[in-house]
């Protein structure tokens, strides 16, 4: 059953730094934005602990706090922030159609996609089994680390996320074993150095996961193997954390927008425009390179400005506020 169709000038999908920044700019430009938060209100930053590299916070700020502030700022200019998940789109016509929770249909003059990216898993059966059971597999140390206080855990990955999460876990857990599949880190020097000098983090290089072990309900250990010697050994652990990167949340757009082989939306260089007029993209959904909160916010701003210019060019009655160059 479909609710009555709603008409919206600017619909923003996603509530990370990109979405909220787009909302701030769009709201201040009379575009009356409606923002749908998606399944993870606040986006990936809500799973981050300390954000130290967003300009304007000399003492750092936690990810969840920062997202609350961004939401407040967007609402201050009357962004209509809503709970709901966009499940389908149709970008084939002049008016872009969007469905929320499979029922509510919205007709939009402009759409700003800020759907971000989601955590990847290894995909091995035992990992998926204990993930589904809620028995000790997680891709978010900040969300779940608390449950493993004073216990031993394993974390997979060697990027900045893995380092940040391993460091966070080391504050809570008795021991953290980090499985690094190559003989070096991918993470920045400062992040990997922090991990290397933390006493209760043991780093195993050239090491991968063979099996997540458990008693049928919860994780009890990890069988790892050295990919140079093929030697296997068991690491006792009650938690198995996966921090190996992300996949863009762009599936629902694949019939309409150009994407790279991983699913990142391809924007027109130097703009937030997609190849569909009136549809714009910002944040990690289109960025596999920088993937930072501040770059996401920057492209959110670009998307709102591009959307405003698009409306101003299309609709003589639209009173734009930002100077049109
Ligand atoms: P990355 O893609 O940077 O790193 C993924 C890591 O996981 C790599 O070390 C990779 O190994 C490893 N990996 C991937 N697949 C597997 C697998 N199947 N088995 C074992 N290991 C695997 O992802 P991140 O999420 O760490 O970071 C994403 C972006 O966000 C980066 O640009 C990063 O700099 C940024 N970031 C910044 C932070 C900050 O500044 N505070 C915090 C977190 C992220 P390999 O190296 O061998 O490919």
């Amino acid at each position: 059953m479909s609710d009555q169709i709603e008409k919206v000038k600017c619909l923003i999908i996603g509530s990370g730094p990109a979405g909220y920044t787009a909302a701030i700019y769009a709201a201040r430009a009379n575009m009356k934005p409606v923002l749908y938060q998606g399944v993870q209100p606040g986006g990936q930053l809500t799973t981050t602990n300390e954000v130290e590299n967003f300009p304007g916070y000399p003492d750092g700020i936690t990810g969840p706090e920062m997202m609350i502030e961004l939401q407040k700022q967007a609402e201050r200019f009357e962004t209509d922030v809503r709970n709901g998940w966009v499940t389908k789109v149709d970008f084939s016509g002049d008016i872009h159609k969007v469905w929320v929770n499979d029922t509510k249909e919205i007709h939009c003059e402009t759409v700003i996609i800020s759907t971000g990216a989601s955590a990847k898993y290894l995909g091995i059966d035992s990992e998926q089994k204990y993930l589904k059971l809620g028995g000790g597999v997680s891709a978010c140390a900040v969300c779940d680390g608390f449950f493993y206080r004073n216990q031993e855990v394993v974390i997979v990955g060697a990027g900045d996320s893995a380092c940040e999460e391993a460091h966070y876990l080391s504050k809570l857990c008795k021991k953290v074993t980090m499985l690094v599949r190559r003989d070096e880190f991918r993470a920045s020097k400062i992040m990997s150095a922090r991990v290397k000098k933390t006493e209760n983090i043991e780093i195993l290089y050239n090491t991968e996961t063979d099996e997540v072990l458990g008693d049928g309900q919860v994780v009890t250990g990890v069988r790892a193997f050295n990919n140079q010697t093929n030697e296997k050994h068991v690491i006792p652990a009650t938690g198995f954390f996966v921090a190996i990167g992300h996949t863009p949340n762009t599936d629902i757009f694949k019939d309409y927008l150009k994407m790279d082989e991983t699913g990142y939306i391809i924007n027109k260089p130097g703009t937030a425009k997609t190849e569909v007029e009136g549809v714009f993209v910002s944040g990690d959904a289109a960025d596999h390179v920088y993937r930072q909160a501040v770059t996401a916010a920057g492209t959110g701003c670009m998307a709102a400005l591009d959307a405003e210019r698009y409306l101003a060019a299309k609709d003589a009655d639209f009173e734009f506020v930002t100077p049109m160059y």
Side-chain angles (χ1 to χ4, degrees), residues 53 122 156-162 164 181-182 186 191 243-246 289-292:
N53 51 10
L122 297 176
V156 181
D160 281 330
S161 299
E164 197 177 73
R181 68 178 173 181
R182 289 185 294 137
R186 177 178 295 275
M191 301 285 258
I244 61 168
H246 296 83
V289 179
Y290 300 104
R291 295 183 287 194
Q292 299 300 298

Side-chain angles (χ1 to χ4, degrees), residues 239-312:
F240 180 71
F241 289 86
V242 187
I244 61 168
H246 296 83
T247 308
N249 300 320
T250 55
D251 252 19
I252 53 167
F253 310 113
K254 67 175 186 294
D255 292 340
Y256 302 98
L257 302 179
K258 212 187 261 177
M259 296 181 187
D260 72 8
E261 67 286 350
T262 324
Y264 286 95
I265 295 170
I266 297 174
N267 54 304
K268 294 192 176 164
T271 76
K273 294 175 191 169
T274 68
E275 72 207 309
V276 176
E277 294 242 313
V279 177
F280 306 89
V281 64
S282 59
D284 287 11
D287 175 16
H288 65 282
V289 179
Y290 300 104
R291 295 183 287 194
Q292 299 300 298
V294 69
T295 49
T299 54
C301 159
M302 287 166 68
L305 291 179
D306 284 347
E308 187 187 3
R309 281 164 201 186
Y310 166 81
L311 284 175

Side-chain angles (χ1 to χ4, degrees), residues 146-204:
F146 189 73
F147 301 119
Y148 303 93
R149 269 176 311 161
N150 304 321
Q151 298 172 38
E152 298 190 8
V153 298
V154 168
I155 183 163
V156 181
D160 281 330
S161 299
C163 289
E164 197 177 73
E165 302 217 340
H167 190 251
Y168 178 79
L169 288 168
S170 73
K171 307 274 179 221
L172 295 168
C173 304
K174 199 153 66 180
K175 185 178 174 193
V176 179
T177 304
M178 203 169 176
L179 308 187
V180 175
R181 68 178 173 181
R182 289 185 294 137
D183 60 359
E184 61 178 0
F185 278 84
R186 177 178 295 275
S188 57
K189 275 203 178 108
I190 186 168
M191 301 285 258
S192 47
R194 194 177 288 169
V195 161
K196 286 175 191 171
K197 72 175 188 208
T198 303
E199 256 178 33
N200 62 340
I201 299 179
E202 184 182 6
I203 301 162
L204 302 178

